[in-house]
Amino acid sequence: MCGPGDDGFEGETADLEAGIWVRGVDYLSGWRDAREATAELGDALRLVGVDTAGVRLRAASGADGSGVVRLELSAASAREVAMLARVTAARSGWAGCAGS
């Protein structure tokens, strides 16, 4: 797994001003979980050839302290991810479920 700044993706900052903080909620654990998930997702996208220049991943915490991954894609990268999802659905037999 690559360290921060080595993965080709933008972001990786905690958005401390994004909402109201509640005493007693463990936001840091959620953010750490989201940070690990962003690394996993970034690795997976890279493995399948998605252009990292069009992808932004950011770890955050939800209001309840759970981890949240924010994914921002360029139009080209969104089309790549959509194509990969369609291929996976077809291979898994889920192709008939979309758009029903």
Side-chain angles (χ1 to χ4, degrees), residues 9-97:
F9 293 103
E10 288 183 35
E12 189 78 52
T13 59
D15 192 357
L16 301 177
E17 304 300 322
I20 297 173
W21 291 62
V22 177
R23 183 181 303 269
V25 175
D26 185 5
Y27 296 102
L28 190 55
S29 290
W31 177 80
R32 285 183 183 135
D33 184 39
R35 185 173 176 208
E36 290 174 14
T38 60
E40 291 176 30
L41 181 56
D43 288 346
L45 291 172
R46 238 185 335 281
L47 282 172
V48 296
V50 173
D51 181 14
T52 60
V55 178
R56 182 174 182 221
L57 294 170
R58 189 170 55 114
S61 292
D64 63 353
S66 62
V68 176
V69 175
R70 291 189 167 53
L71 169 63
E72 185 176 314
L73 301 169
S74 67
S77 292
R79 288 184 181 97
E80 287 182 67
V81 171
M83 183 270 309
L84 292 166
R86 281 191 212 93
V87 167
T88 300
R91 288 183 180 167
S92 301
W94 301 329
C97 299

